[in-house]
Amino acid sequence: MCGICGIISSENVVNNDIVLRMLSKMSHRGPDASDFWCGNNIVLGHRRLAIIDLSSGGNQPKQDPTHKNTITFNGEIYNYKKLRDSLTQYHFITNSDTEVILAAYATWGFDCVKHLKGQFAFAIWDEKKKLLFIARDHLGEKPFYYHTTNGIFIFASEVRALLSTELIERKVSKAAVVDYLKYQSVNGPHTIVEGVQCLPAASYGVYQQGSLNIHNYWNQRELEEISKKTSYPEVLEKIRHLFSESVKGQMQSDVPLGAFLSGGIDSSAIVAMMAEHATDAVHTFNVSFEDKRFDESTFANIIAKKYNTNHTQIDLSPTVLLDKLPEIMGSADVPSGDGPNTYMISQAVKERGLTVALSGLGGDDLFVGYTGFLRYDDLQKYSVFWKLPLGIRKSVSNVLHLLKQDNATNKKRALIELNHFSLEEFYALTRKVFSTEEIHLLAPQLDQKTDFLLENMRSWTNEINHLPLFSRYGMAELKGYTQNVLLKDSDNMAMANSLEIRSPFFDHELVSYVLSVGDQMKFPHTPKKLLVDALHPMLPSEIVDRKKMGFSFPWDSWMRKELKPFVDHSIENLAKRDIFDSRHLGQYYNSFVRGNPNILWSKIWLLVTLEVWLKNNKF
C-alpha cells in the first residue's frame, strides 16, 4: 500500500519539484521509501509502505527493462503469484506484485486489469506508444485523483497532494458542497475541489496527446440470476469457497497482520476464516466504550476466545478522542461525515506493530444487512400508490405532518411526494442527511438542481434491472454509500497511520456471485442467513442472534458535553463563510445544543468537518 503521483505535459518540461511536493504531502502513505522517475515531459512519483517483497527490489517507480514501460502502483494484487506462473514469457527480476502488473500490461495491454484480483490504483507510462495508462480496482478501494488542463495531466492518491502543486486553484465546488451535505461525502467522479476528479471504480483511462479517455472494464450487465436448478447447499458451498479463497489471498503479507473485530457477523466471519488458514494465533482488535449502548467488547471477546486469537481491547473515552481531534481532522484528505472511528483503531493497531488489518466492510451490502433492503422490498409491493395524482398524495403527506414532525416523518413525506417510485429516488432519499429545505435555509445561495448521486445511479441502473431485487439495492449501496463514504474514509484514515486495510468481502468474484443469488436465498426470514449458513458452524449463536449495532462512537453525548467547545468554535467560523447564512446557521446549531431531537448530531458533525477541512487546506 502506497502513495502515487505524477505529472505529464504535452508541451513543457516538467518541474521535478512539483512531484517532490506531492510526495512530501503523502509521507504517511509510504514511510519506507520514496523516489521518482523522469521521462520526456513526464515525472512519476512513489511513496512505499513495504508489505510484499520487503527488499529494495520492490521500490517504485519500477521500469520494465525490456519494454521500457514504467509504473507507479498503490495497492495489493492478491492473485499475483498465480499470474506470475502464467506469464512464462516474461523475465521476472523481483518477487513483487508490482512487476506482475508490468508483465500483465506487456502481455495483455489495456485488458490486463481484467486479470487482476485485488485493490489497486496505478499509472503506467508506455514509452513506445507515448501514452499514460491509468486504472482503478473493481470496487474502488484505492483512490486515484486527477486534474487536467491546458495539456497538463496531474494525478495523486490524495487531493491534498494535488493542491500542493499550486497548479490548481483552491476553489470549492458549490455543487459538491450540496452533495456533501446531502450524502456525507461528495459522490465521484466529483470532489469538493473545482477541477479535481477521481477515476471511477472498475475503470481505466488512457491519456495521450493531451486527451483523456475513460473506459469501464467490469459491470453487472452480463450477470444472470443463478439457475433455479441450483440447490441451496450448492450455493452455500460456492459462497464458502469464494469467501475462504478471498480471505486466504488477502492474508498474504511479508509483515505482521491482524483483523478489526467488532463482534458483529461480518468481522467475526473474517476472523473465523483467518483462523482456519493461519498457522499462528490471529491478532484481533476491538474498541470498547464506557457507554454500553455502543460497547461491543463482550461479543468480540466471544469470538476471540473461540478462535484463541491474540486479542487487544482498546478502551476509548471522549477525553482521548478530544486530545486526538486536531490530529484526526488534520488527516482528512476530503471532508466526510465518518472517519475518526477508523483512525483511532488504525492507530492502535499500528502502534502494536502491525502493518495490515483485515476488515468486515462489505458484508452488509452483499448479504442484506441494511434495513433499507427490506424497506425497498416492502414499498415495491405498493408502487401503484405513486400512480395516484400528486394532489392526493400531498394530502396524505400533510396529514402525516400534522400528526408528527421529526426526521423519520419528514422522509416519509418526501417519499410520498416523489414524482415516481424508483430505486434511484428511494435510495437517494434513504441516504440523505440534510433535506432540500434545510440546505436552502442554511445556504440559500447554493443551487440544488444537480444531484451527483442520482446522476450516477441513472447512468447504470438499467444494467441491473435483470438482477434480483435485493441485488439491485445492494448495488446501490456498493456504488453509493460504500464507495463514496466507507471505502474513502477507510483508506484515508488507515493510511494516515501507515496501515493497510483489506476487505475480503470486496473480492469481485465473490461480489459477482452473491449478486446473482436470488432473493429468497438471501433473506428467507433473517438478514445475513446466507452468509451464516455458508460458514456454519463457524459463528456461535451469540453472534448470529445479537442485535446489530454498527461501528460508531457516542457522538451525540460527546458533542453536547466534552466536545462542545470544539464544535462551538467550528460552527462560529463556518458561519463567517459566504457559503452559509450566518443567522440561520447559528439558530440551527443553538437548537441542537438545546436538545431539539430533529437536529441530529450527524448533521452538525458534517458542518464541523467541512469547516475544519476548509481551514486546514487554506480555502
Side-chain angles (χ1 to χ4, degrees), residues 428-596:
L429 184 59
T430 299
R431 281 298 180 187
K432 191 172 290 186
V433 181
F434 280 96
S435 68
T436 300
E437 293 75 19
E438 286 174 313
I439 295 174
H440 180 71
L441 175 72
L442 300 176
Q445 64 160 306
L446 294 179
D447 186 348
Q448 298 189 57
K449 292 179 182 178
T450 303
D451 189 306
F452 295 152
L453 175 61
L454 280 174
E455 283 184 354
N456 287 346
M457 292 189 68
R458 286 167 182 157
S459 70
W460 56 259
T461 46
N462 285 337
E463 294 180 3
I464 61 169
N465 283 337
H466 63 292
L467 292 177
L469 184 142
F470 286 147
S471 295
R472 281 178 262 155
Y473 191 85
M475 280 300 302
E477 288 289 5
L478 284 168
K479 288 177 172 283
Y481 178 68
T482 297
Q483 282 186 6
N484 293 287
V485 180
L486 294 183
L487 287 177
K488 194 182 294 183
D489 290 337
S490 176
D491 173 81
N492 180 195
M493 291 303 178
M495 289 307 296
N497 291 287
S498 303
L499 180 79
E500 172 177 304
I501 290 183
R502 299 177 177 177
S503 304
F505 284 114
F506 290 129
D507 176 279
H508 73 274
E509 292 179 356
L510 175 64
V511 170
S512 292
Y513 186 78
V514 177
L515 288 175
S516 301
V517 175
D519 292 342
Q520 186 54 39
M521 288 188 184
K522 279 186 185 162
F523 197 96
H525 45 73
T526 54
K528 298 189 181 175
K529 188 176 188 303
L530 187 61
L531 175 62
V532 171
D533 287 354
L535 299 184
H536 182 76
M538 300 176 81
L539 301 178
S541 59
E542 298 97 319
I543 302 301
V544 173
D545 299 331
R546 59 165 291 197
K547 182 180 179 182
K548 181 179 175 62
M549 291 176 66
F551 183 31
S552 182
F553 291 174
W555 288 110
D556 189 70
S557 173
W558 291 356
M559 287 170 63
R560 298 177 195 271
K561 297 175 184 177
E562 293 91 346
L563 298 181
K564 187 174 180 297
F566 172 76
V567 176
D568 285 349
H569 181 69
S570 300
I571 295 297
E572 287 173 6
N573 287 339
L574 187 64
K576 297 173 184 177
R577 296 185 181 273
D578 59 8
I579 297 176
F580 291 90
D581 182 294
S582 59
R583 182 172 66 88
H584 283 114
L585 179 57
Q587 291 174 349
Y588 191 83
Y589 175 59
N590 288 333
S591 185
F592 165 77
V593 172
R594 290 193 297 267
N596 186 333

Side-chain angles (χ1 to χ4, degrees), residues 50 62 75-76 95 123 163 184 192 245 275 285 315 358 364 391 436 441 443 485 509 516 544 553 590 605:
K62 179 169 290 299
E76 303 292 344
N95 294 314
L163 291 173
Q184 302 185 60
I192 195 74
E245 287 298 299
F285 297 84
D315 299 318
L358 271 63
D364 285 319
T436 300
L441 175 72
V485 180
E509 292 179 356
S516 301
V544 173
F553 291 174
N590 288 333
W605 189 248

Side-chain angles (χ1 to χ4, degrees), residues 1 49-53 75-78 80 97 118-119 141-142 246-260 270 274 355-362 487 490-491 494-495 499-507:
M1 203 60 61
L49 178 63
I51 292 174
I52 300 292
D53 186 358
E76 303 292 344
I77 306 302
Y78 303 128
Y80 79 99
D97 53 350
Q119 50 176 324
E141 295 183 73
K142 293 295 102 189
S246 177
V247 171
K248 181 181 178 181
Q250 297 196 27
M251 290 176 69
Q252 295 178 100
S253 175
D254 293 330
V255 294
L257 85 164
F260 296 160
I270 299 289
M274 288 178 72
T355 306
V356 180
L358 271 63
S359 162
L361 280 177
L487 287 177
S490 176
D491 173 81
M495 289 307 296
L499 180 79
E500 172 177 304
I501 290 183
R502 299 177 177 177
S503 304
F505 284 114
F506 290 129
D507 176 279

Side-chain angles (χ1 to χ4, degrees), residues 103-174:
Y105 179 75
T107 304
W108 297 304
F110 301 159
D111 282 343
C112 67
V113 288
K114 298 178 180 179
H115 297 264
L116 303 179
K117 187 174 182 178
Q119 50 176 324
F120 55 83
F122 62 79
I124 296 176
W125 173 248
D126 188 319
E127 180 63 30
K128 293 180 180 178
K129 296 180 180 178
K130 303 298 181 185
L131 62 82
L132 188 71
F133 175 66
I134 62 177
R136 193 171 176 212
D137 61 66
H138 299 75
L139 276 304
E141 295 183 73
K142 293 295 102 189
F144 191 106
Y145 296 103
Y146 68 89
H147 169 76
T148 180
T149 183
N150 298 326
I152 297 176
F153 181 79
I154 320 170
F155 70 89
S157 296
E158 296 190 358
V159 171
R160 289 173 298 185
L162 291 179
L163 291 173
S164 73
T165 66
E166 299 179 4
L167 296 173
I168 300 170
E169 182 182 1
R170 291 176 187 263
K171 182 179 180 182
V172 173
S173 165
K174 291 185 177 180

